[in-house]
């Protein structure tokens, strides 16, 4: 008879395969499904999700976990089997700690809240959304109590995205980042603006499709184990490490959007394609966290895709597809244009420098709402004041202010992953530049293979064996430090803006 760990693996395989099927249904819904199928698809998903949940919380899993833990006693903490038991136990505890009536309440609240958010946003009236947000806060407090925490309820909510991360660690990282960014943004605002006007014009969608596919191929995205399709909101999804798909959206009057969305999603996808094959269909064959996932997309999108070297290599391809626009543009002009910094109201449109301030603002407001220091009715004023303080802009309406993101329909704790991704990417980039001194010239000749190999070795192939902060320390030799992102941004943008 198989030992407990083998039985646990067989059990996990079933749950993971069902989750992959659910991901296919989801991808189909967001790409090709006819609108009339919406109700049936929702029912198919609910049926499948219930099956998955019931399997995940089955007491048999608890028994197998206990027996597996006994089997790995004496193995070093970092061994694969010990890590598998540790991560699986955490998953199981998380799933079983939240009573099913609270899960049901959260699910039904978030679908109702989404509808109310759409309406409030359309009318640009926060007062319509306020009662729903108050309920979101209350439900998230209850969720945090069920999940458990040592210092702050926010830690419990964060743990769903970033195992081991806490509000106090984030506060420390952001306390260093915030003043440095505010100062840099102000310096840039006072300098002459770079010209990016040529990135607007007429760009046929079929050519953009070919161009973006070529671009992600240069990075190393394997289209034999993936494909790119068109959607409203770009995303990456994985049905197994051998079928990792990306989507993008095209604007026929603007080129940058689709190109950089494709590079971003390809960064996510290459992580999934590089997860450890020998651990496939176990709890370790997945990303370490949302923040680490985001570090991969940001690294390829910004550190590579917005580098001088990549712009120099890629310009002839742009000339090939859109000669009338790019014939008279230099690589340096392209480099400056794709790195234009401008304080703006909308997070998803923000550049590399201002983006993190949008996240810090949301983090601070989430904490204040959770602690009861900020009354929900006062959120729009608090939002506007923080925007003015950090970015020097004030939203003219709630739609362009506190109603812009869908996230608060369902829960708190998701936003920090975006900035953690930038922080981790910058720290990895620092180590990469040290380990691969010739990377710049490789990228300038279109060779991204050394970089992908480094990331495979230091990040992708580890899967979820290490918690995110341990992974950073393991890959870079240091704990996560905001100084790497600050100096990366200083170096790059002081050069571009002549500061
Ligand atoms: Zn992303």
């Amino acid at each position: 008879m198989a030992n407990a760990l083998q039985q646990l693996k067989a059990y996990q395989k079933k749950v993971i395969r069902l989750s992959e099927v659910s991901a296919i249904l989801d991808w189909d819904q967001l790409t090709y499904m006819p609108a009339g199928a919406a109700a049936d698809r929702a029912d198919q998903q609910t049926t499948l999700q219930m099956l998955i949940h019931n399997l995940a919380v089955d007491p048999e899993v608890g028994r197998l976990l206990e027996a597996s833990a006994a089997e790995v006693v004496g193995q070093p903490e970092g061994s694969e089997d010990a890590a598998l038991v540790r991560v699986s136990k955490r998953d199981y505890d998380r799933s079983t700690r939240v009573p099913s009536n609270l899960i049901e309440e959260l699910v039904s609240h978030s679908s109702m809240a989404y509808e109310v958010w759409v309406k409030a946003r359309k009318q640009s009236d926060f007062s319509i959304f306020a009662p729903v947000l108050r309920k979101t806060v209350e439900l998230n407090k209850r969720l945090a109590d069920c999940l458990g925490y040592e210092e702050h309820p926010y830690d419990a909510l964060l743990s769903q995205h970033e195992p081991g991360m806490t509000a106090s660690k984030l506060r420390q990282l952001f306390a260093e980042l915030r003043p440095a960014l505010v100062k840099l943004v102000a310096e840039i605002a006072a300098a002459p603006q770079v010209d990016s006007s040529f990135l607007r014009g007429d760009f046929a969608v079929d050519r953009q499709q070919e161009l973006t596919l070529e671009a992600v191929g240069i990075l190393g995205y394997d289209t034999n184990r993936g494909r790119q399709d068109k959607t409203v909101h770009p995303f990456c999804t994985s049905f197994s490490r051998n079928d990792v798909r990306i989507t993008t959206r095209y604007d026929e009057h603007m080129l940058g959007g689709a190109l950089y969305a494709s590079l971003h999603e390809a960064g996510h996808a290459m992580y999934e394609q590089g997860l450890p094959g020998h651990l496939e269909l176990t709890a370790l064959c997945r990303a370490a966290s949302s923040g680490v996932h985001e570090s991969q997309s940001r690294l390829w999108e910004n550190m590579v895709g917005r580098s001088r070297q990549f712009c120099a290599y890629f310009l002839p391809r742009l000339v090939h597809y859109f000669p009338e626009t790019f014939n008279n543009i230099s690589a340096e002009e392209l480099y400056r244009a794709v790195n234009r910094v401008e304080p703006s109201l909308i997070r998803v449109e923000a550049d590399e420098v201002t983006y993190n301030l949008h996240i810090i603002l949301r983090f601070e407001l989430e904490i204040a709402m959770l602690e009861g220091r900020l009354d929900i009715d006062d959120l729009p004023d608090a939002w506007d004041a923080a925007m003015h303080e950090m970015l020097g802009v004030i939203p003219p309406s709630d739609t362009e202010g506190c109603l812009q993101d869908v996230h608060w329909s369902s829960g708190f704790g998701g936003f920090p992953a975006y900035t953690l991704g930038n922080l981790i990417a910058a720290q990895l980039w620092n180590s990469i530049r040290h380990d691969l001194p010739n990377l710049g010239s490789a990228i300038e000749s279109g060779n991204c293979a050394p970089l992908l190999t480094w990331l495979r070795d230091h990040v992708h192939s580890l899967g979820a064996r290490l918690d995110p902060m341990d992974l950073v320390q393991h890959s870079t030799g240091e704990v996560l430090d905001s100084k790497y992102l600050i100096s990366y941004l200083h170096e790059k943008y002081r050069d571009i803006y002549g500061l």
Side-chain angles (χ1 to χ4, degrees):
M1 184 184 159
N3 64 24
L5 192 59
Q6 277 167 345
Q7 290 180 55
L8 182 70
K9 284 179 184 170
Y11 207 96
Q12 268 177 5
K13 180 181 162 182
K14 238 189 308 185
V15 175
I16 292 170
R17 283 298 192 210
L18 285 172
S19 304
E20 289 169 352
V21 172
S22 167
I24 299 172
L25 292 181
D26 201 34
W27 169 86
D28 175 66
Q29 183 166 7
L30 296 168
T31 49
Y32 298 109
M33 188 189 83
D40 289 336
R41 181 55 47 87
D43 193 43
Q44 289 159 352
Q45 281 285 30
T46 310
T47 308
L48 195 51
Q49 288 300 330
M50 270 178 57
L51 254 176
I52 293 170
H53 178 74
N54 291 339
L55 278 173
V57 299
D58 193 316
E60 174 67 4
V61 179
R63 194 191 65 75
L64 286 174
L65 273 167
E66 245 175 73
S68 301
E71 282 174 11
V72 299
V73 164
Q75 287 194 26
E77 173 77 7
S79 79
E80 278 175 359
D81 286 348
L84 179 62
V85 172
R86 179 176 57 81
V87 170
S88 306
K89 170 114 176 51
R90 189 165 60 202
D91 287 351
Y92 181 70
D93 287 348
R94 195 176 296 148
S95 307
T96 50
R97 270 180 194 161
V98 186
S100 55
N101 61 349
L102 179 55
I103 295 177
E104 274 167 39
E105 224 180 317
L106 279 160
V107 170
S108 77
H109 171 73
S110 82
S111 65
M112 179 274 291
Y114 174 76
E115 300 299 329
V116 176
W117 171 74
V118 170
K119 188 175 163 210
R121 198 165 179 255
K122 204 167 171 189
Q123 299 182 24
S124 198
D125 184 353
F126 177 74
S127 70
I128 298 172
F129 188 61
V132 170
L133 181 56
R134 194 166 282 119
K135 179 82 177 169
T136 302
V137 174
E138 187 223 307
L139 287 172
N140 273 266
K141 278 187 189 164
R142 281 167 56 197
L143 176 64
D145 287 339
C146 293
L147 290 170
Y149 55 87
E150 282 176 19
E151 282 175 30
H152 197 284
Y154 198 78
D155 299 348
L157 304 175
L158 261 179
S159 73
Q160 304 176 101
H161 312 274
E162 298 295 322
M165 182 47 71
T166 63
S168 74
K169 280 185 205 165
L170 284 178
R171 274 204 185 99
Q172 189 206 330
L173 289 162
F174 293 175
E176 293 154 358
L177 195 55
R178 180 181 162 151
L181 292 179
V182 168
K183 187 162 173 282
L184 183 59
V185 170
E187 283 172 23
I188 291 172
Q193 186 54 284
V194 302
D195 178 21
S196 61
S197 56
F198 57 88
L199 295 174
R200 294 185 177 276
D202 291 322
F203 302 101
V205 167
D206 56 341
R207 288 189 177 205
Q208 285 196 55
Q209 268 170 325
E210 284 179 45
L211 173 87
T212 53
L213 212 51
E214 198 176 322
V216 297
I218 293 164
L219 305 191
Y221 173 56
D222 179 359
T223 46
N224 187 43
R225 297 190 293 143
R227 52 178 284 136
Q228 175 166 269
D229 293 271
K230 205 158 79 172
T231 36
V232 181
H233 298 290
F235 66 92
C236 165
T237 183
S238 171
F239 309 152
S240 82
R241 60 190 285 287
N242 297 314
D243 190 350
V244 186
R245 305 188 184 189
I246 59 174
T247 66
T248 194
R249 69 167 154 227
Y250 302 95
D251 179 342
E252 56 183 333
H253 302 299
M254 212 182 73
L255 187 62
L259 177 60
Y260 283 98
S262 291
L263 299 186
H264 180 99
E265 299 308 332
H268 281 303
M270 289 187 286
Y271 187 9
E272 295 283 337
Q273 289 181 331
L275 289 172
H278 71 286
L279 296 173
E280 211 174 2
L281 298 167
T282 73
L284 296 184
C285 188
R286 66 178 186 214
S289 73
S290 310
V292 175
H293 225 309
E294 200 61 20
S295 78
Q296 298 307 291
S297 57
R298 303 272 166 153
L299 192 144
W300 286 103
E301 178 194 354
N302 293 327
M303 276 94 183
V304 177
R306 289 191 164 88
S307 69
R308 227 178 217 119
Q309 293 82 2
F310 187 80
C311 288
Y313 175 74
F314 204 61
L315 180 60
R317 304 315 303 149
L318 290 170
V319 173
H320 170 79
Y321 287 104
F322 303 107
E324 53 298 334
T325 304
F326 290 100
N327 254 335
N328 297 314
I329 297 294
S330 70
E332 186 63 20
E333 285 169 318
L334 176 63
Y335 171 64
R336 290 161 63 84
V338 298
N339 286 298
R340 181 187 168 104
V341 173
E342 194 162 35
S344 63
L345 300 168
I346 309 296
R347 173 184 64 88
V348 295
E349 293 166 8
D351 55 76
E352 224 184 341
V353 181
T354 56
Y355 189 90
N356 299 297
L357 292 171
H358 289 270
I359 298 303
I360 293 172
L361 173 147
R362 285 156 177 76
F363 166 72
E364 288 174 356
L365 293 176
E366 284 188 347
I367 294 271
M369 284 189 275
L370 213 53
E371 289 178 353
R373 281 187 289 111
L374 173 63
D375 190 87
I376 302 301
D377 293 329
D378 297 331
L379 178 67
D381 289 342
W383 181 287
D384 293 355
M387 281 298 282
H388 184 252
E389 197 186 322
M390 288 198 249
L391 289 161
V393 291
I394 298 177
S397 69
D398 291 341
T399 301
E400 291 155 286
C402 62
L403 285 176
Q404 65 181 267
D405 298 304
V406 65
H407 301 56
W408 287 342
S409 303
S410 49
F412 286 178
F415 283 118
Y418 300 115
T419 287
L420 281 170
N422 287 324
L423 290 164
I424 296 168
Q427 188 157 329
L428 290 172
W429 191 240
N430 179 71
S431 296
I432 290 163
R433 289 203 299 182
H434 181 266
D435 289 355
L436 306 173
N438 300 320
L439 182 63
S441 50
I443 292 175
E444 201 164 347
S445 59
N447 177 15
C448 295
L451 173 58
L452 184 55
T453 302
W454 193 99
L455 292 169
R456 290 269 191 264
D457 292 345
H458 292 81
V459 181
H460 304 175
S461 62
L462 297 174
R465 270 179 71 179
L466 298 176
D467 278 355
M469 292 304 106
D470 295 334
L471 183 140
V472 170
Q473 182 145 22
H474 176 84
S475 314
T476 68
E478 282 179 76
V479 297
L480 184 64
D481 194 323
S482 58
K483 72 181 179 191
Y484 292 107
L485 180 59
I486 294 169
S487 63
Y488 160 78
L489 293 173
H490 273 163
E491 199 182 308
K492 180 171 177 180
Y493 289 94
R494 283 185 171 152
D495 171 51
I496 292 174
Y497 281 91
L499 305 173

